[in-house]
């Protein structure tokens, strides 16, 4: 059983992530990625970029994270980006009211109004989870962090609560610089900030976090088509439509079938998202699903909203990792109104304000999910079976013993292959300890230099998941590792040894 404490312990021990500024006591909701974490996060983000930005007119931009108050007046965040909060009359703690009611009644209350939540708290005599004190009436809190700008601090800005707004305010500039063509995709992979009332579950609910979001601008008249539709039409999506909620945890439905009630442009990108998780990140199929949200649950800017979820043992079930959002022209039209600058373009012989389909993901939640899903305990050993393309360190190199020139030779091998992969040199402790350390850090390959290396120039290459070992010539190590990572069996790249 993988519980949250196990993941927390492993993350801290190996330096994947841990609370920030710990020497001053923990400020909750802020985390640091340590050396392994930073490497793996970068690989995850790059895989996301390679996969989602592979279309002809799709690009990445990197705007500022502090944005003017006007931006959020236009987007609706000033008014609508709020959470219901409730204060305990005894201990003074603030809680997310919907979460308290949710855990008491064991159902979701996303989208419930403060009045409805107050009524439920009274009806069911729900008390403060911390001290059992009585709770006040439910109020609301805007989740954005305000920033005072300038010497007199008279200019008001906010840390962006979603990267998306950084794209919308740049839409027209980029459209004119780029190909003046739709669909156009603009992505941001960077920080977002929310003053979460109860940051919790480690890096899955933080106050400063990372998003990978892609805004796809398209002509609303073409929402029922996609030029690559034929590639996905018979592809089966794993999904939980609203009408199946009380019966199943998910069903399989072909893109063609779903497109009878959800626009093809939207369904095409659902397929793309699923392929990323199942094929690139190697997530087991039964752990994945899309969940359709009801009108009350949808984000205020969405016309169609399906969350993308993964079933995580340490978090007791399916957890939202991202979403496919049909935001229509909500944002561009909002910016047009408040800035008084037309966001219209001329395309396909007509004037239009494009619609937006957003693919939105939390990088930290994807990261956490990978630790949860690929954690395994074998006898008393922890093995993190991360896919090779995501593992922070691809290969560990060590000498069988730290003497007789084996250490010098191991360092030479390390130097030789370090420009091809992220490699780690280790020489402390027994060979068993070094393998165990590598397994726990998710290193897919270990290379051991021994006395035979001195004689015939071969090394032992060991595969983490099968623990199979082969002898490989030193000059063939990088190509052998690449071949196995691409799917070849280890016994096909070298001479098997027991
Ligand atoms: N632009 C749309 C948007 O921001 P969202 O559902 O509010 O939509 C997108 O956020 C994703 O960002 C979520 O699915 C989640 O993975 C991640 N996310 C949101 N709040 C987070 C938080 N406080 N800490 C970590 N990740 C968060």
């Amino acid at each position: 059983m993988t519980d949250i404490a196990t993941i927390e312990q492993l993350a801290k021990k190996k330096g994947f992530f841990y609370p920030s500024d710990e020497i001053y006591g923990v400020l909750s909701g802020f985390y640091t990625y340590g050396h392994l974490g930073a490497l793996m996060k970068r690989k995850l983000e790059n895989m996301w970029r390679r996969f989602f930005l592979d279309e002809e007119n799709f690009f990445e931009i990197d705007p500022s994270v502090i944005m003017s108050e006007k931006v959020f007046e236009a987007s609706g965040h000033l008014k609508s980006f709020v959470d219901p909060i409730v204060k305990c009359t005894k201990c003074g703690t603030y809680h997310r009211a919907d979460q308290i009611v949710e855990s008491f009644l064991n159902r979701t209350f996303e989208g419930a109004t403060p009045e409805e939540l107050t009524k439920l708290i009274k009806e069911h005599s729900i008390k403060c989870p911390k001290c059992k004190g009585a709770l006040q009436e439910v109020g609301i809190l805007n989740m954005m962090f305000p920033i005072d700008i300038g010497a007199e601090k008279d200019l008001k800005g906010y840390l962006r609560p979603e990267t998306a707004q950084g794209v919308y305010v740049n839409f027209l500039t980029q459209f004119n610089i780029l190909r003046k063509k739709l669909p156009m995709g603009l992505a941001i992979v960077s920080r977002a900030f929310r003053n979460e009332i109860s940051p919790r579950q480690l890096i899955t609910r933080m106050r400063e976090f990372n998003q990978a979001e892609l805004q796809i601008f398209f002509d609303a008249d073409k929402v029922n088509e996609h030029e690559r539709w034929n590639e996905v039409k018979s592809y089966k999506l794993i999904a939980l439509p609203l009408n199946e909620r009380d019966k199943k945890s998910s069903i399989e439905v072909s893109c063609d079938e779903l497109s009878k009630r959800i626009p093809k442009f939207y369904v095409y990108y659902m397929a793309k998202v699923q392929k990323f998780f199942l094929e690139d990140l190697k997530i087991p199929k039964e752990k994945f699903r899309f969940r359709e949200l009801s009108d009350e649950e949808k984000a205020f800017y969405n016309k169609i909203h399906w969350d993308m979820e993964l079933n995580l043992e340490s978090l007791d079930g399916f957890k939202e990792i991202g979403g496919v959002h049909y935001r229509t022209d909500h944002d561009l039209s909002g910016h047009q109104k408040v800035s008084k600058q037309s966001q219209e373009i001329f395309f396909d012989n007509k004037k239009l304000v494009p619609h937006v389909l957003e693919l939105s993901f939390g990088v930290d939640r994807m990261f956490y999910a990978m630790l949860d899903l690929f954690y395994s305990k074998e006898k008393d050993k922890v093995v993190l079976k991360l896919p090779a393309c995501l593992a922070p360190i691809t290969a560990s190199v060590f000498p069988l013993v730290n003497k007789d020139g084996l250490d010098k030779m191991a360092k030479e091998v390390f130097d030789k292959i370090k420009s091809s992969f992220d490699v780690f040199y280790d020489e402390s402790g027994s060979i068993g300890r070094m393998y165990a350390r590598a397994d726990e850090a998710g290193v897919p390959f270990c290379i051991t230099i021994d006395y035979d290396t001195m004689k015939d120039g071969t090394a032992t290459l060991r595969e983490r998941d099968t623990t199979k070992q082969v002898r490989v010539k030193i000059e063939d190590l990088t190509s052998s590792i690449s071949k196995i990572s691409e799917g070849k069996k280890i016994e096909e790249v070298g001479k098997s040894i027991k």
Side-chain angles (χ1 to χ4, degrees), residues 74-240:
S75 67
H77 283 80
L78 267 185
K79 184 169 150 247
S80 306
F81 198 57
V82 291
D83 264 350
I85 52 164
V86 65
K87 189 178 177 187
C88 172
T89 53
K90 197 169 150 201
C91 69
T93 307
Y94 283 96
H95 303 278
R96 270 273 298 264
D98 53 339
Q99 284 169 0
I100 288 195
V101 178
E102 222 167 278
S103 60
F104 194 83
L105 298 177
N106 228 351
R107 341 196 229 118
T108 137
F109 286 93
E110 240 177 293
T113 64
E115 294 73 30
E116 286 163 347
L117 291 167
T118 304
K119 195 161 163 249
L120 285 164
I121 287 173
K122 283 193 182 141
E123 260 172 32
H124 296 276
S125 306
I126 302 173
K127 300 277 186 261
C128 170
K130 207 167 153 195
C131 75
K132 302 284 169 247
L135 296 169
Q136 287 181 352
E137 302 254 306
V138 176
I140 51 169
L141 176 82
N142 191 295
M143 290 169 70
M144 287 193 293
F145 283 109
I147 300 272
D148 295 325
I149 304 163
E152 296 198 358
K153 301 195 169 182
D154 51 347
L155 298 169
K156 190 126 192 205
Y158 287 90
L159 290 173
R160 64 181 180 205
E162 57 167 0
T163 66
Q165 295 308 320
V167 164
Y168 303 141
V169 297
N170 279 290
F171 161 69
L172 209 53
T173 314
Q174 288 298 322
F175 184 79
N176 289 324
I177 293 171
L178 296 167
R179 301 192 183 145
K180 297 192 172 63
K181 208 178 132 186
L182 295 180
M184 176 177 86
L186 290 179
I188 298 180
V189 182
S190 183
R191 295 282 210 248
F193 305 82
R194 296 181 189 177
N195 192 7
E196 296 281 353
I197 300 153
S198 342
R200 59 190 183 144
Q201 296 179 327
L202 310 176
I203 56 170
T204 68
R205 189 167 294 283
M206 295 190 280
R207 290 180 163 136
E208 175 180 350
F209 57 101
N210 300 275
Q211 291 187 317
E213 296 194 303
L214 171 61
Q215 315 299 322
I216 308 167
F217 299 90
F218 67 99
D219 177 354
D221 290 345
K222 297 191 175 162
V223 71
N224 265 313
E225 56 193 84
H226 191 285
E227 65 171 1
R228 295 170 78 170
W229 176 251
N230 282 342
E231 289 172 27
V232 302
K233 67 180 184 188
S234 46
Y235 182 74
K236 292 266 173 63
L237 293 168
I238 307 161
L240 181 60

Side-chain angles (χ1 to χ4, degrees), residues 285-302:
K285 205 172 156 196
E286 63 281 5
K287 299 282 186 183
F288 179 97
R289 77 175 179 196
F290 286 108
R291 191 171 76 97
E292 186 177 19
L293 300 195
S294 66
D295 284 341
E296 300 73 49
E297 294 165 337
K298 281 178 205 165
F300 63 91
Y301 41 75
N302 280 336

